[in-house]
Amino acid sequence: ETGVTQSPTHLIKTRGQQVTLRCSSQSGHNTVSWYQQALGQGPQFIFQYYREEENGRGNFPPRFSGLQFPNYSSELNVNALELDDSALYLCASRNPPSGSDEAFFGQGTRLTVV
Amino acid sequence: AQSVTQPDIHITVSEGASLELRCNYSYGATPYLFWYVQSPGQGLQLLLKYFSGDTLVQGIKGFEAEFKRSQSSFNLRKPSVHWSDAAEYFCAVGAPTAAGNKLTFGGGTRVLVKP
């Protein structure tokens, strides 16, 4: 158990719909990152939030957006869903400068777009 | 930009045998390197990390990894594999930002353990 919880665990959406995924970071962690892991691939960095501001973004279109709240929990929103958005979405939290800089991952949300 | 290559997609090893997983990275500065393990349907668990200092790092579950700058490699090893080590393993390089490391992952190596 890492203390990072994600909801829901599984989700099925129709192409063109919108989806919101949620992440509760480990207590005391102020940085949250989101990753997309397509089947059979390694996780791909989507973006990172630090103290409620986006401070890094990977190669994902603007229809992928996020929020971080004052309690450091986070949301990932995806608009106009496409079939290729089907993946495991992972959230990771950390608390720099902790010295270890370890990212703690949640169990993920499995999104299926049909 | 950083990148990570894990040349072996699948590895099958007998229980009790040794295991080595290869990882090659590309990064313009001193790398922060990580190995994660993912069991089916699970998130990622950190096995070990390298930031600086001793190039041989010890991790959890009996794993170790050696950083070789000249070869741009960070291979993971375990002397004797247990059936519970069957999982997918990911090597990652961290790019420092103001709020910690963004991780770039390799494609993963799936390890199967034969009894």
Side-chain angles (χ1 to χ4, degrees), chain B residues 11-27:
Chain B
I11 284 182
T12 300
V13 61
S14 297
E15 191 168 16
S18 63
L19 174 68
E20 181 167 13
L21 305 182
R22 295 184 290 165
C23 171
N24 294 100
Y25 68 90
S26 173
Y27 185 61

Side-chain angles (χ1 to χ4, degrees), chain B residues 20-21 23-35 48-58 64-77 91-93:
Chain B
E20 181 167 13
L21 305 182
C23 171
N24 294 100
Y25 68 90
S26 173
Y27 185 61
T30 302
Y32 296 173
L33 295 162
F34 306 81
W35 274 99
L48 47 77
K49 62 194 176 191
Y50 171 78
F51 283 177
S52 64
D54 193 348
T55 56
L56 185 63
V57 294
Q58 303 295 322
E64 66 178 24
E66 185 171 13
F67 169 61
K68 293 185 177 180
R69 184 186 299 276
S70 62
Q71 298 177 19
S72 298
S73 69
F74 188 56
N75 294 348
L76 181 72
R77 299 192 293 254
C91 180
V93 62

